[in-house]
Amino acid sequence: MKDHDVHDPARPPTALLGALRHAVGGGHVLTGDAETHRFRTGYRFGTGPALAVVRPGSLIELWRVAQAVVEAGAILIPQASNTGLTGGSTPDGDGYDRPVVIVSMRRIAGVHLVRGGAQVVCLPGATLDVLEKTLAPLGREPHSVIGSSCIGASVLGGVCNTSGGALVRRGPAFTELALYARVDADGRLELVNHLGVELGDTPEEILMRLERGDFAEVQEGGRASDHDYARHVRAIDADTPARFNADPGRLFEASGSAGHVVVFAVRLDTFPKEAGTEVFYIGSNDPADLTRLRREMLAGDLPLPIAGEYLHRDAFVLTERYGRDTFLAIRYLGTARLPALFRWKDRVDGWFRRLGLRDVADKALQAATRLGPSHLPKRLTDYRDRFEHHLMLRVASADTTATEALLAHVLGEGRGAFFRCDKAEGDAAFMHRFAAAGAAVRYRAVHAREVADIVALDIALRRNDTDWFETLPPELDAAIAHTFYYGHFFCHVFHQDYVIRKGHDPLAIEHRMWALLDARGAEYPAEHNVGHLYPAKPALAAHYRALDPTNSFNPGIGQTSKRAHWG
């Protein structure tokens, strides 16, 4: 179903602003630098100018905003929660040949249960945290349950970026079932309903019924998750990674679209929640211990673990110091309140930026939480002192005895040890691991005088790679103040954050890192998508061009052209 042709691209921005205010109301069209800053600036990386930030409150309003932007020949950047780590939902500097409009989806939240809760239909503003709480009474859970959910990440953002997650059995977020708007080769906006739900004929009817949940049972056909991942990750002798963003087998319409379409809804599988789980905490001074454990667990008869998270001792220590407030906020306030805290923090920083002061909130929070004893259980801090490599392993209760026997067998012959956590220790271990990404950002803010920037890589190693722990050349190592190594160990996906010393060029260092990764046969990025940090590989760039032939939505992603028609 097609709609309006593109009008004159030279149409004055004032006319576009008027159309946007008419679509959503003047109070939801933001134009000042201060009030748009948190939408124009990525969680960790990326910033740029925008004509306006628009906050539609319904799917119909979102459709009308898209119409107005396309008619004006402007650029639309869809933004779900703006929690990505590579700047993928914000502008990136200058170089755009048309006005930029950021469309924030946060106000369009909604989750519809279908097939008795075995699947869900999620609207653009639905967060992982809300979805998890919606499914909990049914004994089910979403693709991802901790990690990105802690910072208010959206369900649609994960799908559009083929994001990964900590759960070993589920692989990247993926669906073939979505309802989205695209601009065709003739510059016309069209609504595509591949949701497998009959909703009517006109965009208005379709979107109104979708938002209300006014539809009959969904149709069969089409995958709503990566059904094959559990088998895929067990192939430990394969010479390719288990998952990475540019994998052509996981690029399908909205999945991997990275904002090159405007997604109104996705349909996804949900998963039975384990009735009971146990956590083992493992430490070793020899990476070979963890290599052997991974290979034996994946190749053996044991069911796949639920999660297996790696943390290097340096990252442990720095996160203990610079991630304490994040840890405590998750423990005492819960993940649902964290997005509001991040918005409050941005407002405080905005006030001080006008006075020429930067990162005031980060510095104040760090000062307030740096004193006092460790917030972590004693057995965790004992392992911090004893071991360089740390692994948190969550398994189903039914697999506890067999897992413990395997751990004793593997670590009894190596230089490691393990213990079975009580609930407080297990919860603390995983919360500490997921505070690591924010700790690197906090370190940069507090030590801005000594730090040039962060180089943040997320990489997927080959499934048969036994030499997984990185050793840097001396000249590169000398330019790095600190490294944060952490990741999803059984999927062989690692996050490697490097705090670069002043006087060194972070971009040049990052490019040298890429060459080292290429030599190792790694794929990158693994799960945070290219954003504006990485060049899109051919399959991914082709996916973008096929979805968006006029380059109207989120141009420049993957260091591609920012110009109309990919000029």
Side-chain angles (χ1 to χ4, degrees):
M1 55 202 72
K2 298 189 177 180
D3 215 300
H4 299 70
D5 290 321
V6 173
H7 289 186
D8 180 6
R11 186 178 179 182
T14 52
L16 173 55
L17 290 173
L20 296 173
R21 292 182 178 116
H22 180 72
V24 303
H28 294 294
V29 178
L30 314 179
T31 56
D33 283 350
E35 61 182 350
T36 63
H37 180 270
R38 64 190 173 98
F39 300 94
R40 294 184 295 103
T41 304
Y43 175 71
R44 178 187 278 175
F45 173 86
T47 188
L51 173 69
V53 173
V54 185
R55 304 190 307 141
S58 69
L59 295 179
I60 287 288
E61 287 187 0
L62 175 56
W63 173 251
R64 291 170 180 162
V65 167
Q67 286 179 317
V69 173
V70 171
E71 286 182 352
I75 288 168
L76 188 152
I77 297 181
Q79 186 178 97
S81 294
N82 193 20
T83 56
L85 301 183
T86 57
S89 60
T90 62
D92 178 49
D94 299 316
Y96 296 97
D97 58 346
R98 297 150 287 167
V100 172
V101 176
I102 300 170
V103 181
S104 171
M105 315 289 193
R106 287 175 177 167
R107 297 178 61 221
I108 318 175
V111 174
H112 301 304
L113 301 174
V114 297
R115 300 184 64 199
Q119 291 185 333
V120 288
V121 172
C122 294
L123 304 188
T127 64
L128 288 167
D129 178 74
V130 169
L131 179 56
E132 184 178 355
K133 288 179 171 62
T134 301
L135 292 172
L138 304 177
R140 301 188 71 85
E141 59 188 15
H143 163 268
S144 182
V145 296
I146 191 168
S148 296
S149 59
C150 295
I151 56 174
S154 72
V155 177
L156 266 68
V159 171
C160 293
N161 292 304
T162 53
S163 297
L167 301 179
V168 179
R169 305 171 184 179
R170 298 181 191 171
F174 174 80
T175 186
E176 296 173 343
L177 305 168
L179 190 150
Y180 58 92
R182 69 186 294 271
V183 178
D184 68 14
D186 296 322
R188 290 175 295 186
L189 187 69
E190 62 178 351
L191 189 66
V192 179
N193 182 6
H194 289 167
L195 200 60
V197 180
E198 180 55 51
L199 293 165
D201 298 316
T202 67
E204 290 76 11
E205 179 187 10
I206 289 170
L207 297 174
M208 288 178 65
R209 288 183 58 187
L210 173 60
E211 190 155 7
R212 293 196 306 261
D214 177 19
F215 47 84
E217 190 56 54
V218 298
Q219 302 162 10
E220 297 296 331
R223 293 180 296 163
S225 65
D226 186 352
H227 300 161
D228 197 42
Y229 187 74
R231 182 197 63 79
H232 193 70
V233 76
R234 283 192 184 272
I236 56 172
D237 292 318
D239 197 33
T240 56
R243 56 180 168 93
F244 57 100
N245 287 132
D247 184 349
R250 298 187 179 101
L251 300 175
F252 188 91
E253 296 183 350
S255 294
S257 60
H260 274 289
V261 294
V262 178
V263 183
F264 290 83
V266 294
R267 181 173 142 199
L268 296 166
D269 289 331
T270 68
F271 304 87
K273 188 173 184 178
E274 292 286 349
T277 66
E278 297 288 343
V279 173
F280 292 94
Y281 199 92
I282 300 152
S284 178
N285 289 311
D286 186 353
D289 285 342
L290 302 190
T291 298
R292 184 179 172 197
L293 177 63
R294 171 182 171 270
R295 291 182 64 84
E296 292 204 18
M297 287 200 77
L298 292 181
D301 296 329
L302 267 175
L304 285 174
I306 296 167
E309 292 295 301
Y310 171 78
L311 187 68
H312 187 264
R313 176 162 54 198
D314 291 349
F316 186 117
V317 171
L318 290 164
T319 302
E320 187 178 11
R321 187 176 306 164
Y322 294 95
R324 176 186 289 212
D325 57 303
T326 299
F327 179 101
L328 296 176
I330 295 170
R331 168 176 279 179
Y332 294 113
L333 299 178
T335 58
R337 296 186 183 180
L338 288 191
L341 289 177
F342 280 113
R343 290 193 290 272
W344 171 84
K345 174 177 166 293
D346 190 79
R347 289 192 194 98
V348 170
D349 280 334
W351 297 334
F352 283 98
R353 269 193 302 271
R354 297 168 194 168
L355 303 176
L357 301 173
R358 300 186 63 82
D359 301 316
V360 171
D362 274 307
K363 292 172 182 176
L365 287 168
Q366 185 62 29
T369 59
R370 69 184 178 88
L371 301 176
S374 175
H375 53 284
L376 298 174
K378 185 176 186 303
R379 286 205 288 184
L380 268 63
T381 56
D382 286 347
Y383 267 46
R384 171 202 65 199
D385 297 336
R386 291 176 58 190
F387 298 113
E388 180 180 2
H389 304 285
H390 297 242
L391 181 67
M392 292 129 266
L393 185 63
R394 186 182 296 277
V395 301
S397 294
D399 303 326
T400 302
T401 301
T403 301
E404 193 160 10
L406 177 61
L407 290 172
H409 170 66
V410 171
L411 298 173
E413 299 177 4
R415 292 189 291 164
F418 72 95
F419 63 88
R420 184 172 165 184
C421 298
D422 61 30
K423 187 177 188 309
E425 291 170 329
D427 290 347
F430 276 91
M431 279 192 285
H432 185 60
R433 153 65 187 90
F434 289 112
V441 177
R442 170 64 55 77
Y443 186 95
R444 177 179 63 182
V446 172
H447 298 280
R449 292 181 180 178
E450 301 97 52
V451 171
D453 206 345
I454 297 171
V455 169
L457 303 177
D458 67 294
I459 68 168
L461 298 182
R462 297 169 297 179
R463 284 168 283 174
N464 65 353
D465 199 339
T466 58
D467 188 19
W468 55 270
F469 187 68
E470 179 177 71
T471 301
L472 292 172
E475 66 274 16
L476 268 182
D477 193 54
I480 297 168
H482 294 288
T483 55
F484 289 74
Y485 291 135
Y486 51 98
H488 315 306
F489 188 69
F490 287 85
C491 299
H492 251 196
V493 168
F494 294 90
H495 303 285
Q496 301 182 170
D497 299 343
Y498 310 89
V499 180
I500 308 302
R501 300 180 191 276
K502 282 282 190 189
H504 297 273
D505 182 355
L507 185 60
I509 289 172
E510 181 170 14
H511 289 177
R512 289 196 61 190
M513 296 285 191
W514 292 352
L516 295 175
L517 293 173
D518 291 339
R520 295 174 69 187
E523 290 282 355
Y524 53 92
E527 61 179 11
H528 291 156
N529 218 330
V530 289
H532 292 289
L533 280 177
Y534 302 90
K537 293 191 174 180
L540 191 58
H543 184 54
Y544 297 159
R545 292 183 72 122
L547 290 173
D548 187 11
T550 64
N551 208 20
S552 298
F553 295 159
N554 213 13
I557 288 296
Q559 300 179 12
T560 58
S561 171
K562 295 180 180 179
R563 302 183 68 80
H565 298 277
W566 304 86

